[in-house]
Amino acid sequence: MSTGTIPLPAAKDVRDMLTGLVGKPVNVTPGDPVTPAPERPVAVAVYVDPGMNVNALCLMDLGASAYTGGALALLPPGGCQDAVEEDGELTGMQVEALHEVVNVLAALFNTQGAPHSKLHKLYAPGEEIPGDLAGMLAAFNRVDLAIDIPTYGKGALSLVLP
């Protein structure tokens, strides 16, 4: 039966996807909502349906952004930790790796009967988010997760259906 709506991915699906992606057993547990603030930069991945309507968002704090991308690209954990703890921003290579992570995460939204979702744009941590998207970030149809990638570190991830 096709409902035409996207179901929220389960924490287990997110864990399985991230574990397969980074080749390490990623720990995923319920967490706090990821919300952008000047002192808390977040990455926002925007997914759209075939009609270019925004149908899902993925928000990652700086830790989740640096560590998922770093683990995927096999970047040194120390450099990723420096980006989070000292620099407060990602390097160009880390942003490229994060783009690949959020592109693969689109598969979480592509379930039977749901409209096809594809990555439209990634706003790296610290980039300005357009006002119409910023309003969608607080939607209640969401799953908020804490993630821990061995040898890299911890972060937070929220999947939001506006």
Side-chain angles (χ1 to χ4, degrees), residues 30-49:
D32 295 325
V34 176
T35 47
E39 70 285 349
R40 190 172 182 219
V42 303
V44 178
V46 181
Y47 302 93
V48 296
D49 66 16

Side-chain angles (χ1 to χ4, degrees), residues 79-137:
C80 296
Q81 290 156 358
D82 288 348
V84 174
E85 297 165 12
E86 294 172 20
D87 305 336
E89 63 184 12
L90 301 181
T91 65
M93 187 177 289
Q94 289 167 332
V95 172
E96 274 184 48
L98 176 61
H99 188 275
E100 187 57 33
V101 169
V102 296
N103 189 38
V104 170
L105 290 180
L108 290 169
F109 305 112
N110 290 318
T111 59
Q112 181 94 20
H116 182 76
S117 295
K118 69 176 185 177
L119 178 64
H120 174 64
K121 181 157 177 51
L122 169 65
Y123 294 90
E127 276 188 58
E128 189 161 336
I129 300 163
D132 59 334
L133 284 176
M136 295 178 192
L137 300 182

Side-chain angles (χ1 to χ4, degrees), residues 5 11 14 24 29 33 35 37-38 80 95 109 119 126 130 141 160:
T5 59
V14 175
K24 295 174 176 282
T29 56
T35 47
C80 296
V95 172
F109 305 112
L119 178 64
N141 194 11
V160 180

